[in-house]
Amino acid sequence: MCAETVPTLFCVPPAGATAAMFRGWSALMGDAARVRPVELAGKGARADEPAYADVADAAADVARLVRAEAGPGGWALLGHSMGAVIAYEAARLLPGDGHLVVSGCPPPQCGFGPRWRPDTPDQEIVDFLRSVGDLPEELARNTEAMAYYVGLLRADEALLARHTVLVPDTPLGIPVTVLWGDDDPVTKEHDPERWRETVGRPVSVHTVSGAGHQFITRRAQDCARVLRTELAVRRDPHETRRTGVDGDLLMNTGAQMYLDLMKKVLTNVVYEDPPIPSAWASDTAYDHINRGAGLDWPSTAHTMVGLRRLDNLQDCVERILRDDIPGDLLETGVWRGGTCIFMRGMLRAYEVADRRVWCADSFQGMPEVVAGHPGDVELGTHEFNDVMGVSLDTVKRNFETYGLLDDQVRFLPGWFRDTLPTAPVRRLALLRLDGDLYESTMDALVHLYPKLSVGGFVIVDDYLIDVCREAVHDFRHQHGIHDEIQDIDGYGAFWRRTS
């Protein structure tokens, strides 16, 4: 990747720390980003400068630095602990060509008050830091250095205590990644998913294991590995990833160009059709971030899942073909047919003639739930059937538009509870769930998961929705499934069957 086209990653340190903590990150990020550690006023090389009056002052200072030094590849902001709050506030001041990464920080609306009072003795602070593993012993033994460090911590804690987070009326217009320590004492009582309330859009959460609050340094290699992937695939929603299938299938540049173009046409990032207003996105103007992330209801595009979830679908199908996993490809809940059209296009691109694409849908919208799971009743998704209800004839016509309606495409029209138990599907290599509801998700898993080959994939488009996620976890618990669930884009998730 050309150095001029990669983002500049600005790293904001936590309370009491200096930019030196990110000194080794340039090597860790490699050619995925140009790393720029941020020195905050009053610390390190800027120790002689006056400290900030408040968090807003610090955020404005960081935003000025980003504007001055971000290259043509855009910018990314990484902040750890208090640095995450500053990075978030700075991101709100910057143009929407960036990426925010928050690490080791509770969602600000949950509170991040000081861990000690102004009159707390220094030794009590030292003991606390040592108890949570945040204090190197060599620093604790140096009385003069320790007194200076505690002074910085007190000032930073006071800065946070005076700060009030105001959740903006409009979503933050950039992708957001959350790094979360599974044994971080600072965040253990909080839910990382609540960051989506702060930023107004789904977030991509990645858990780091066994390193306490300072996992950003103790597991720096793991954190950087996550960011290399996140920055590469989410840097520009218009840019689809380039890949190919190895093994028995040769890389075919023409096939890849065809599939990349298909993704752009299916999501209509080419002609930018306006969205249909919804309860969570009232805008009627096209927004490339929302469309690329699959966060709007397109008025014309044939899919609403976004480029990242199409990339995931392509990755899974290519791995199935590469590893020769037996079975067909099936989606429950196809809307206008876009993802199924893409799956059929992949089979055509790779000249696969012995697999089918199954499209399971009511082709009349969502069921009205009057008795059943309380969450399904509360969602009331049937109220949106003027948008969600797409006829079978329309879906078939969409397939024909791409020249992909043939005998390798099969349709299962009707409610899942009626069609899936007797569906004439023998074996599956991929099961993609897009039914939103608990009942719809459970019906698909109960009747179709037993037909999924080992090595096959389950993709859950609506994993962010509580009732859908509950159904997934209930089914997995009932059947002893422990395969790792992997995040796609903060909204969807997937796992690969291993047994």
Side-chain angles (χ1 to χ4, degrees), residues 298-344:
S299 56
T300 303
H302 290 150
T303 182
M304 63 172 73
V305 306
L307 290 172
R308 181 71 190 276
R309 273 170 270 164
L310 286 182
D311 283 347
N312 165 257
L313 179 59
Q314 182 175 352
D315 286 337
C316 291
V317 173
E318 287 179 342
R319 290 167 72 182
I320 286 167
L321 299 180
R322 180 195 64 203
D323 298 342
D324 198 23
I325 305 301
D328 295 336
L329 318 175
L330 186 149
E331 181 175 51
T332 57
V334 306
W335 196 46
R336 294 172 181 161
T339 54
C340 289
I341 292 170
F342 184 60
M343 288 191 283
R344 179 63 190 96

Side-chain angles (χ1 to χ4, degrees), residues 210-224:
H213 183 53
Q214 293 301 338
F215 63 83
I216 195 71
T217 52
R218 296 185 182 126
R219 296 287 187 273
Q221 189 170 4
D222 294 338
C223 294

